[in-house]
Amino acid sequence: MTRARDEESFDHWSRLHGGLDPRASSWVRGWVRLTHAGARPLARSGVHPDAVTLAAVVLTATVPLLAALGAAWPLVAVVPMVVAAVLDGVDGALAARTGTDSAWGRVLDGLADRCADLLLLVTPVVLGAPWWLVAGLAAATLLLEQARSLGQAAGMTGPGAVTVWERPSRVIVVAFTAASCAAEWTARASGVDLLPAVDGAVLASVGTVIGLALALVGLAHVVRAVRRALPRA
């Protein structure tokens, strides 16, 4: 029975992602299993997928607020960040299990994802990264998703390409940046200062630069995939 449920979950994920097979990757396979496991108790409780989608955005909004408290709080902010990321997958799994998958749900999920992206990117700003650098990262991220959406509207099937700057990568980079800033504060508070020139602002800036590099590579990847997927004049 469990195997049959897994196969059904994999097939549903594949339909939502343009025919990509999650069985081909142990990471994606595990992610699908995790989100469907989280969806089971919610389905039994009668929770609507849209409520889970909105809850993920609300949780993400707490991330920069907690990070702004400074000291070790950026590390605490990683917890709602990860929970929100999991909920972002649970809503789709819940819709599949309850038969409530809809066009509106997919639109709402996309809007929620973009809100979550922007809320996450407020975190490096409150940690000390220059706002203009983070604005560049936000622009590259939105351009990547816009290129994908336009490609799909023009006839491309699925995401076009799985890039180095998908939502899990965005969460990982921001989480690592926040944890690094918290670790730096903890080390200084303990009297350990191995790199005096490196503070939280520098770490936040480095994390943003890494994110920007990944975003630009991902943008180029998607644009190339869209160009190949669409018929040439």
Side-chain angles (χ1 to χ4, degrees):
M1 184 66 177
T2 301
R3 181 174 178 80
R5 275 203 305 261
D6 283 347
E7 293 301 316
E8 184 180 346
S9 303
F10 296 150
D11 290 341
H12 178 265
W13 189 94
S14 180
R15 287 193 299 273
L16 292 179
H17 295 81
L20 295 176
D21 189 358
R23 301 171 187 83
S25 167
S26 59
W27 288 100
V28 179
R29 202 164 57 239
W31 171 254
V32 174
R33 286 196 180 110
L34 173 64
T35 56
H36 277 264
R40 288 187 201 115
L42 297 177
R44 289 194 294 267
S45 302
V47 177
H48 196 278
D50 290 354
V52 178
T53 301
L54 296 175
V57 176
V58 172
L59 263 180
T60 306
T62 67
V63 172
L65 295 177
L66 290 171
L69 297 176
W73 281 98
L75 183 59
V76 177
V78 173
V79 176
M81 195 186 309
V82 173
V83 173
V86 173
L87 289 179
D88 180 53
V90 168
D91 57 0
L94 180 60
R97 299 186 71 84
T98 57
T100 54
D101 190 17
S102 66
W104 165 247
R106 290 189 288 274
V107 170
L108 181 64
D109 185 60
L111 290 172
D113 285 348
R114 301 295 75 75
C115 288
D117 286 338
L118 294 176
L119 287 168
L120 271 183
L121 293 180
V122 175
T123 306
V125 176
V126 302
L127 292 174
W131 68 267
W132 51 267
L133 185 60
V134 178
L137 174 54
T141 301
L142 294 179
L143 282 173
L144 185 158
E145 296 297 344
Q146 178 70 356
R148 178 174 284 155
S149 296
L150 290 172
Q152 291 169 335
M156 181 181 72
T157 302
V162 178
T163 75
V164 294
W165 192 241
E166 303 300 334
R167 294 214 66 239
S169 302
R170 300 164 200 174
V171 172
I172 289 170
V173 168
V174 176
F176 183 78
T177 300
S180 297
C181 291
E184 185 272 339
W185 178 87
T186 302
R188 291 199 177 209
S190 302
V192 179
D193 196 6
L194 297 177
L195 298 171
V198 176
D199 58 12
V202 172
L203 292 172
S205 299
V206 170
T208 305
V209 169
I210 292 172
L212 181 57
L214 294 175
L216 292 174
V217 171
L219 174 59
H221 193 179
V222 167
V223 170
R224 183 183 181 191
V226 170
R227 186 68 187 93
R228 287 185 168 186
L230 298 180
R232 295 175 182 268

